[in-house]
Amino acid sequence: EAITISRLRDGLYLDVNEAFVEQIGWLREEVIGLTENDIGLWPSKADRQRWVAQLRQQGRVKSYEASLNARNGKRHTVLISAELFDLEGEQYVIGMLYDITEQEATRKEIRQLNSELEKRVQERTAELQSANKELESFAYSISHDLRAPLRGIDGFSHLLADEFGERLDAQGRGYLERVRRAAQQMGTLIDDILDMSRI
């Protein structure tokens, strides 16, 4: 973790460690004697003032999330833990910066992936609803278009059996009965197809 020792009122650096040099990019000898504003560490003075106000109020901060500027212009997201101490009547801060830039980038990527996944789910749901409507239309077509001729076959074969059954021999009546059974069986098959389409 990057460690800094600085003066509270203006952010003047007294010392920084090697991790600070690696993360922020300023050499130790370049930073000592400069303030946080001199190196442009905070994106704005207001950002630093909010952090200082909380530090003054509580005497310490733990895991304060902030954005800080590196020397190369890259923005780092860090968690700052800091504590005040007095030295010769002046308040100073010892602070530790824990860089969570990569974790934040990963979280952002996960949020984006979740958003894309949600969008894809909505698209698939719309496609499924459309397919279900087509299936309902198909089921209606089967129910209406196939049942009408079957009712005709069954009805007329029933009339034929009632009105002309005596004129037919046993073989003719057998054929007529087979026609009626086949029409009824077709009706059952249509019901089964409709049940399957609903499933």
Side-chain angles (χ1 to χ4, degrees), residues 28-188:
R28 184 172 175 268
E29 54 272 16
E30 292 176 316
V31 193
I32 294 172
L34 294 179
T35 67
E36 293 170 343
N37 287 334
D38 291 337
I39 67 168
L41 184 70
W42 293 87
S44 72
K45 288 183 180 181
D47 289 331
R48 182 178 190 274
Q49 286 168 353
R50 277 192 293 274
W51 175 71
V52 168
Q54 189 171 333
L55 189 56
R56 280 194 169 126
Q57 184 182 15
Q58 299 172 2
R60 65 178 61 177
V61 291
K62 187 172 182 182
S63 299
Y64 181 94
E65 189 170 325
S67 279
L68 300 178
N69 297 321
R71 186 176 194 170
N72 61 9
K74 185 180 174 186
R75 186 73 55 91
H76 287 260
T77 304
V78 297
L79 295 177
I80 305 173
S81 294
E83 193 161 329
L84 288 176
F85 67 95
D86 288 327
L87 185 65
E88 297 176 355
E90 185 80 58
Q91 284 192 308
Y92 290 88
V93 182
I94 182 163
M96 289 186 291
L97 313 176
Y98 180 66
D99 195 327
I100 58 166
T101 307
E102 287 183 20
Q103 292 94 318
E104 280 298 302
T106 302
R107 273 192 220 118
K108 185 178 178 183
E109 187 178 346
I110 289 169
R111 281 193 297 268
Q112 186 176 350
L113 289 171
N114 283 339
S115 175
E116 288 172 9
L117 182 61
E118 201 172 300
K119 185 180 175 186
R120 272 186 268 170
V121 166
Q122 288 172 350
E123 288 170 0
R124 295 292 185 265
T125 302
E127 288 172 10
L128 187 59
Q129 286 171 340
S130 175
N132 280 339
K133 283 180 184 173
E134 287 177 19
L135 194 57
E136 284 172 18
S137 175
F138 169 73
Y140 175 80
S141 175
I142 285 178
S143 178
H144 185 268
D145 297 346
L146 292 182
R147 281 187 194 279
L150 276 179
R151 278 194 296 272
I153 293 168
D154 189 44
F156 284 115
S157 62
H158 183 68
L159 280 173
L160 196 59
D162 283 352
E163 293 184 21
F164 302 100
E166 294 174 1
R167 296 184 195 176
L168 297 172
D169 60 9
Q171 189 177 17
R173 284 193 296 275
Y175 288 156
L176 204 51
E177 188 58 35
R178 285 168 72 185
V179 167
R180 290 198 67 210
R181 276 199 311 270
Q184 289 166 357
Q185 185 181 4
M186 186 65 177
T188 303

